Amino acid sequence: MITQNELIHLKETARKIRHLIIDTTVKAGGAHVGGGLSMLDILVALYFKYMNIDPETPDNPDRDRFVLSKGHAAIGYIPTLAERGFFSKELLKTFNKFKSPFGMHPDSLKIKGCDASTGSLGHGLPQALGMALGAKIQGKSFRTYCIVGDGELHEGSNWEAAMTAAHYKTDNLTVFVDRNMQMIDGPVEKIMGIEPLADKWKAFGWDVKEIDGHDFSEIADAIEFAHGVKNKPVVIIARTVKGKGVDFMEDQTKWHYGAIDSEMQEKAHVSIDRM
Ligand SMILES: Cc1ncc(C[n+]2csc(CCOP(=O)(O)OP(=O)(O)O)c2C)c(N)n1
């Protein structure tokens, strides 16, 4: 459950970060902006309401963990960490520049608050599973969250991790599928279909929720549902829109990766403010 005030706060935070994503993409000369925007509301719910984290103690062994398995979407993740206070927003101006801590894909050795280096698709979920199993083995109560892309699910390593997670009853692991229906080279269902997606996860032994990934109340209910499930991992299939918030980017394959000039930048800001 989220209160009305929390809802207003989460929406406002997501709006601010969408603006940051646009300006950071302009400065960087290009980024995976479509997939950064599609998963953003999930990230905001995690980082601004649910995750037990503190930017002052980013290495606390008892903190909750997050793995961005679709690491190319760092352009959504890194501005979120900045807004949450892990580092200065000024530093975003260095995104993907020489000597910056921020490359196009996140590096946990360089970025405060980042728990896993990702970018090679299919590797993040197995890492998140390792963290969740580690918590169980150490008797710790922290939770691990992970976002995978729908196109990323073409990687077989995800399904090995899915099978293992269910076998070891990792009920401390919550995975989101950013089901924006698009990938790098076209619609996922056209490139290689993954439906019936919910049934696949169920067959692998997971509890499944399907939600609107831009509705904070639905995101909140799904996370709280996951917290209550015992002996099974939970996957939340979040229907999202690639490029969400920027009208000319929404659901457009070509905005998987793109550069933004000053005219587009202005239009993007106007569109975000109209959301
Ligand atoms: C192992 C691997 N193969 C290929 C790529 C290149 N690549 C980057 S993004 C992408 C498509 C991913 O699609 P999806 O997971 O749906 O991402 P989203 O649409 O949410 O951005 C691909 C194939 C990669 N990063 N890693």
Side-chain angles (χ1 to χ4, degrees):
M1 260 287 277
I2 44 175
T3 64
Q4 195 56 27
N5 280 347
E6 283 175 322
L7 183 63
I8 292 167
H9 172 64
L10 293 175
K11 279 187 176 171
E12 177 57 16
T13 304
R15 193 187 59 76
K16 271 197 229 163
I17 299 172
R18 282 191 163 86
H19 285 303
L20 280 178
I21 290 173
I22 297 304
D23 291 341
T24 305
T25 303
V26 172
K27 272 253 175 274
H32 298 84
V33 64
L37 290 166
S38 62
M39 66 171 186
L40 186 72
D41 298 315
I42 298 163
L43 267 186
V44 168
L46 288 174
Y47 274 90
F48 291 84
K49 176 159 168 72
Y50 286 102
M51 280 176 65
N52 175 28
I53 41 144
D54 178 359
E56 298 304 317
T57 54
D59 299 323
N60 178 353
D62 294 323
R63 73 191 185 283
D64 284 345
R65 306 297 201 274
F66 173 77
V67 180
L68 180 63
S69 197
K70 42 170 273 184
H72 58 279
I75 189 63
Y77 178 40
I78 290 168
T80 302
L81 291 177
E83 184 64 35
R84 187 63 178 80
F86 282 95
F87 38 81
S88 143
K89 287 183 218 168
E90 264 303 291
L91 203 54
L92 295 176
K93 292 181 179 157
T94 69
F95 188 93
N96 210 34
K97 308 253 188 254
F98 189 51
K99 290 195 174 163
S100 170
F102 316 128
M104 198 52 77
H105 303 84
D107 182 337
S108 64
L109 298 179
K110 295 183 182 161
I111 304 170
K112 199 176 154 196
C114 173
D115 294 318
S117 299
T118 51
S120 187
L121 297 171
H123 290 196
L125 177 53
Q127 289 189 75
L129 168 61
M131 292 173 193
L133 286 171
K136 292 238 171 231
I137 290 163
Q138 295 170 73
K140 288 188 176 290
S141 59
F142 71 79
R143 304 192 64 87
T144 301
Y145 300 92
C146 176
I147 298 181
V148 298
D150 50 1
E152 182 182 8
L153 290 178
H154 292 162
E155 295 284 353
S157 47
N158 290 303
W159 300 103
E160 293 177 40
M163 190 159 51
T164 310
H167 180 81
Y168 289 104
K169 302 184 168 48
T170 46
D171 49 16
N172 53 353
L173 173 65
T174 305
V175 172
F176 292 85
V177 178
D178 182 4
R179 186 70 168 119
N180 60 30
M181 309 298 286
Q182 293 278 346
M183 53 184 299
I184 191 169
D185 42 0
V188 175
E189 291 310 298
K190 191 168 159 215
I191 304 296
M192 186 162 69
I194 58 174
E195 292 294 344
L197 188 57
D199 290 345
K200 284 190 173 119
W201 286 98
K202 280 179 202 156
F204 274 78
W206 289 55
D207 227 322
V208 183
K209 272 266 166 211
E210 293 184 79
I211 61 162
D212 174 344
H214 299 302
D215 180 322
F216 282 110
S217 300
E218 290 195 23
I219 299 170
D221 287 350
I223 293 172
E224 289 173 23
F225 165 81
H227 290 175
V229 171
K230 296 278 169 261
N231 295 321
K232 273 179 171 192
V234 173
V235 61
I236 300 168
I237 301 175
R239 291 182 302 276
T240 58
V241 176
K242 203 150 172 175
K244 176 72 179 179
V246 180
D247 47 12
F248 62 89
M249 292 185 187
E250 287 189 356
D251 204 27
Q252 299 295 313
T253 302
K254 71 172 182 184
W255 279 102
H256 177 78
Y257 180 98
I260 301 175
D261 64 20
S262 54
E263 195 184 322
M264 287 191 265
Q265 180 181 20
E266 210 178 305
K267 283 188 184 151
H269 286 313
V270 169
S271 174
I272 291 165
D273 280 334
R274 280 206 196 112
M275 277 180 87

